Amino acid sequence: EPALLALASDRNWPLKFFSGDELKAQSVPNPSAVVAAEVGCPSVAEAAALSAAGSGAELRLEKQISRGQPGEGAVTTAIAAAPQPWAPQRGHLHLIGAGPGALNQLTPAAQQALASSSAWVGYGLYLDLLEPLRRADQVRFDGQLTKEKERCQQALELARQGVVVALISSGESGMYGMAGLALEQWLALASQEQPNFSVHPGISAFQMAAARLGAPLMHDLCTISLSDRLTPWELIEQRLKAAAQGDFVVALYNPRSRDRHWQLGRAVELLLEHRPANTPAAICRQLSRSDEALQIHPLAELPLEAVDMFSLVLIGNSTTRFEHGQMVTPRGYPGAELS
Amino acid sequence: EPALLALASDRNWPLKFFSGDELKAQSVPNPSAVVAAEVGCPSVAEAAALSAAGSGAELRLEKQISRGQPGEGAVTTAIAAAPQPWAPQRGHLHLIGAGPGALNQLTPAAQQALASSSAWVGYGLYLDLLEPLRRADQVRFDGQLTKEKERCQQALELARQGVVVALISSGESGMYGMAGLALEQWLALASQEQPNFSVHPGISAFQMAAARLGAPLMHDLCTISLSDRLTPWELIEQRLKAAAQGDFVVALYNPRSRDRHWQLGRAVELLLEHRPANTPAAICRQLSRSDEALQIHPLAELPLEAVDMFSLVLIGNSTTRFEHGQMVTPRGYPGAELS
């Protein structure tokens, strides 16, 4: 197979392999008893072409044997037409986060991946953020909120057909984004159906928040999502207790929405068991967007009702202080000194 | 003061204010008993000019009163020469992380800040990573490894004099980087001496690692530095226990060096008390550099000696699996399903 592998890699063609049983299942115009005796199934080229083109395929070119110079061997080819469109290339699924909002926070690598994609799939609001980068020749597929699985399937199906696709999340695709769901669906495909798969890291909300607030993350940190849509609340509570005991700086994602109004208050209560009431806590809304708003309060007085689904809540550890408009967590602990 | 504030903001000039006591301490050529009776000190313009220019200043233009049209009021000016260079602008300290390595992971905002800076201050190895972006008119100040305080002081002093300065860390300046130390030194300055201060978020090693490994971060995560140079080991151990109990995906920074060889083993031991022996654990070396190397092992068999100071160790939570070369942490927990 080295020649086939090299050819496929060179031309960026998908290469598929089939078992004898898969080939035997195809009915072909030119079965061969000689071939059957040799390799265990009556057709290789025609059956493989039909298998590769999938259910409903039609053979368009019956098998042709091309021979080289004496001693060089031969190649048998057949061509089948697939009922589904199939680009003569291996597709690619690029996982992209739209970042916190501003386009100047998107890495050149992510911008390059967006530029190379013929199709952009995502929830409309996130696609809107990137719209200034979209060219007229790039197709936009708007999905519905909460229908993450559908969006993944659509993107993966396009990529499986040979399209270069950008699947777009808000924030960082690799953190509470689409990368995990897309990868799980990708893993469920037969390996010969898997398009190329790349995740492009991006700036997550906690980083943008930290940059705006000063330097609150200079020590160990954790991120916790308060959404109990996919995680039992007991487990979230266990994480909050651990974060409190470990004196981590804590970034709370999905801190509060219209339907989830009490979880944030409980989280604050748990953290207050292990850190001072005046620990600085920041509500960061619409980071790096035109209506960005930051508030810093003592943890015990955090105005919960000011927090909504466009907010991130960042809570200092026991050494974090608020001074001159800045939130800062010292890098060392008392007694330890940098030279 | 609105006119003074507007003028300073408009021209990007630094504006300094002084108390009567500070002004009284200056000896001036033209003290005025009238002024002393009116505002409590014998000189305003001359004393303020000398105070602003700092210790060793010399008065170059004695006080001049400029009157407008009748009814418009007057302005008194004086000019002093400072012994230290002082640019006629407010300086700026930009905190930049060089990112994981590749320049295409640096946000446009960070690149813009680098481009606007006349001076680049950092440890040589990190400056080298960004060297392809440096213009001939930008001065490079190479600092020594571990001399973080010195580098901060040098950068801040330049910015205080009116220079636009980039202070460069490896990775993300806001996470285990220079932002915190620089901000603490900035806070220690009198507010009229403080240059503008901006942190530019960047891609941290754990994000680059995650992108390369698949989707290991799809659930709550924490970062822990195993360096006990500034943090007592007992506290680090408390964090590790909390991370284990909270079932966080864990990114270990500074996991091992020549002098710190046993801490990583102890960390693995603590995590294994709460998660399966076959939990995927990745050693990520020299991420996005030319000699990048990734290894994934069951946590219980992590080859500690393969970890060095150029590595990050990323350890899955109890649901993380390794499949088809990819490390993936499901977004939901068993029983919870996305639509």
Side-chain angles (χ1 to χ4, degrees), chain A residues 123-200:
Chain A
Y123 171 52
L125 193 68
Y126 310 149
L127 292 179
D128 287 348
L129 287 172
L130 301 180
E131 187 67 14
L133 301 181
R134 192 170 64 88
R135 297 187 310 270
D137 64 311
Q138 296 179 299
V139 188
R140 175 177 159 152
F141 294 90
D142 280 46
Q144 285 177 272
L145 193 61
T146 79
K147 297 279 184 197
E148 288 99 337
K149 266 196 175 171
E150 270 181 16
R151 293 208 291 283
C152 274
Q153 272 154 1
Q154 184 179 29
L156 196 53
E157 182 53 30
L158 285 165
R160 213 188 54 73
Q161 287 167 20
V163 181
V164 180
V165 183
L167 177 58
I168 293 160
S169 318
S170 67
E172 148 78 296
S173 181
M175 292 176 64
Y176 307 116
M178 299 288 272
L181 194 53
L183 184 56
E184 290 193 83
Q185 290 187 6
W186 183 91
L187 286 169
L189 292 177
S191 54
Q192 62 203 13
E193 298 285 340
Q194 288 169 338
N196 295 311
F197 183 93
S198 310
V199 182
H200 300 276

Side-chain angles (χ1 to χ4, degrees), chain A residues 104-109 111 146 148-149 172-177 179-181 183-184 186-187 191 194 199 201-203 206-208 211 214-215 217-225 229-232 235 238-239 242 245-248 317 321 323-324 326-328 330-333 336-339, chain B residues 104-109 111 146 148-149 172-177 179-181 183-184 186-187 191 194 199 201-203 206-208 211 214-215 217-225 229-232 235 238-239 242 245-248 317 321 323-324 326-328 330-333 336-339:
Chain A
N104 69 354
Q105 298 296 336
L106 207 61
T107 65
Q111 297 204 20
T146 79
E148 288 99 337
K149 266 196 175 171
E172 148 78 296
S173 181
M175 292 176 64
Y176 307 116
L181 194 53
L183 184 56
E184 290 193 83
W186 183 91
L187 286 169
S191 54
Q194 288 169 338
V199 182
I203 302 299
F206 81 92
Q207 293 169 295
M208 198 73 230
L217 303 181
M218 301 315 296
H219 224 289
D220 304 331
L221 73 95
C222 67
T223 67
I224 301 179
S225 166
R229 182 165 155 238
L230 294 175
T231 305
L235 182 66
Q238 181 187 329
R239 293 240 165 93
Q245 279 160 16
D247 197 27
F248 287 97
N317 74 11
R321 66 183 198 275
E323 184 182 341
H324 206 295
Q326 307 283 324
M327 186 167 165
V328 56
R331 194 158 158 208
Y333 268 71
E337 261 299 301
L338 278 170
S339 56
Chain B
N104 69 354
Q105 298 297 335
L106 206 62
T107 65
Q111 297 205 20
T146 77
E148 288 98 340
K149 267 197 174 170
E172 148 77 296
S173 181
M175 291 176 66
Y176 307 117
L181 193 55
L183 185 56
E184 289 192 85
W186 183 91
L187 286 168
S191 54
Q194 289 169 338
V199 182
I203 302 299
F206 82 91
Q207 293 169 295
M208 198 72 229
L217 304 180
M218 302 314 297
H219 224 289
D220 305 331
L221 73 95
C222 67
T223 67
I224 301 179
S225 166
R229 182 165 154 237
L230 294 175
T231 305
L235 182 66
Q238 182 187 329
R239 292 240 166 93
Q245 279 160 16
D247 198 25
F248 287 98
N317 74 10
R321 67 183 197 276
E323 184 182 341
H324 207 297
Q326 307 283 323
M327 187 166 164
V328 56
R331 195 159 157 205
Y333 268 72
E337 260 300 300
L338 280 169
S339 55

Side-chain angles (χ1 to χ4, degrees), chain B residues 80 83 93 106 150 154 170 175 198 210 217 221 241-242 249 273 284 309:
Chain B
L93 186 60
L106 206 62
E150 269 181 16
Q154 184 179 29
S170 67
M175 291 176 66
S198 308
L217 304 180
L221 73 95
K241 285 178 190 163
V249 175
E273 287 177 14
C284 311
M309 63 178 287

Side-chain angles (χ1 to χ4, degrees), chain B residues 1-11 13-17 75:
Chain B
E1 294 147 24
L4 282 177
L5 290 170
L7 183 70
S9 158
D10 201 42
R11 306 278 175 101
W13 286 344
L15 182 61
K16 300 185 171 191
F17 295 93
V75 171

Side-chain angles (χ1 to χ4, degrees), chain A residues 206-266:
Chain A
F206 81 92
Q207 293 169 295
M208 198 73 230
R212 293 283 200 259
L213 294 167
L217 303 181
M218 301 315 296
H219 224 289
D220 304 331
L221 73 95
C222 67
T223 67
I224 301 179
S225 166
L226 295 190
S227 168
D228 52 2
R229 182 165 155 238
L230 294 175
T231 305
W233 177 253
E234 296 66 41
L235 182 66
I236 298 174
E237 193 150 307
Q238 181 187 329
R239 293 240 165 93
L240 289 163
K241 285 177 190 162
Q245 279 160 16
D247 197 27
F248 287 97
V249 175
V250 179
L252 296 176
Y253 280 73
N254 307 308
R256 192 163 181 272
S257 66
R258 231 172 18 177
D259 301 331
R260 286 182 302 100
H261 48 84
W262 58 264
Q263 286 85 343
L264 178 59
R266 177 67 181 140

Side-chain angles (χ1 to χ4, degrees), chain B residues 43-331:
Chain B
S43 165
V44 175
E46 292 179 350
L50 288 167
S51 295
S55 155
E58 280 175 34
L59 202 65
R60 288 291 164 86
L61 181 72
E62 297 187 2
K63 75 173 174 186
Q64 304 278 326
I65 302 178
S66 316
R67 295 183 195 282
Q69 298 299 315
E72 280 191 350
V75 171
T76 308
T77 49
I79 297 178
Q84 293 291 322
W86 178 273
Q89 60 175 10
R90 197 169 181 86
H92 201 127
L93 186 60
H94 287 291
L95 274 290
I96 310 268
L103 293 177
N104 69 354
Q105 298 297 335
L106 206 62
T107 65
Q111 297 205 20
Q112 168 57 35
L114 279 172
S116 74
S117 297
S118 311
W120 290 17
V121 180
Y123 171 52
L125 192 68
Y126 309 149
L127 293 179
D128 287 347
L129 288 172
L130 300 179
E131 187 66 14
L133 301 180
R134 191 170 64 89
R135 297 187 310 271
D137 64 311
Q138 296 179 299
V139 188
R140 174 176 160 154
F141 293 89
D142 280 46
Q144 286 177 271
L145 192 62
T146 77
K147 297 280 182 197
E148 288 98 340
K149 267 197 174 170
E150 269 181 16
R151 293 208 289 284
C152 274
Q153 273 156 0
Q154 184 179 29
L156 196 54
E157 181 53 30
L158 285 166
R160 213 188 53 74
Q161 287 168 19
V163 181
V164 179
V165 183
L167 177 57
I168 293 161
S169 318
S170 67
E172 148 77 296
S173 181
M175 291 176 66
Y176 307 117
M178 299 288 273
L181 193 55
L183 185 56
E184 289 192 85
Q185 290 187 5
W186 183 91
L187 286 168
L189 292 177
S191 54
Q192 62 201 12
E193 297 285 340
Q194 289 169 338
N196 295 311
F197 183 94
S198 308
V199 182
H200 300 275
I203 302 299
S204 185
F206 82 91
Q207 293 169 295
M208 198 72 229
R212 292 282 201 259
L213 294 167
L217 304 180
M218 302 314 297
H219 224 289
D220 305 331
L221 73 95
C222 67
T223 67
I224 301 179
S225 166
L226 294 191
S227 168
D228 51 3
R229 182 165 154 237
L230 294 175
T231 305
W233 177 254
E234 296 66 41
L235 182 66
I236 298 173
E237 193 150 309
Q238 182 187 329
R239 292 240 166 93
L240 288 162
K241 285 178 190 163
Q245 279 160 16
D247 198 25
F248 287 98
V249 175
V250 179
L252 296 176
Y253 280 72
N254 307 309
R256 191 164 180 272
S257 67
R258 232 174 15 178
D259 302 330
R260 285 182 302 100
H261 48 85
W262 59 264
Q263 286 86 343
L264 177 59
R266 177 68 181 141
V268 166
E269 196 175 285
L270 289 168
L271 290 169
L272 280 173
E273 287 177 14
H274 291 267
R275 61 194 73 176
N278 67 352
T279 301
I283 301 174
C284 311
R285 276 199 82 236
Q286 298 282 33
L287 282 161
S288 84
R289 299 181 189 170
S290 59
D291 48 349
E292 174 177 295
L294 302 174
Q295 308 178 19
I296 304 183
H297 300 272
L299 180 55
E301 294 161 31
L302 194 73
L304 306 181
E305 69 293 340
V307 179
D308 65 11
M309 63 178 287
F310 301 107
S311 309
L312 174 115
V313 174
L314 192 76
I315 299 165
N317 74 10
S318 65
T319 71
T320 305
R321 67 183 197 276
F322 180 55
E323 184 182 341
H324 207 297
Q326 307 283 323
M327 187 166 164
V328 56
T329 303
R331 195 159 157 205

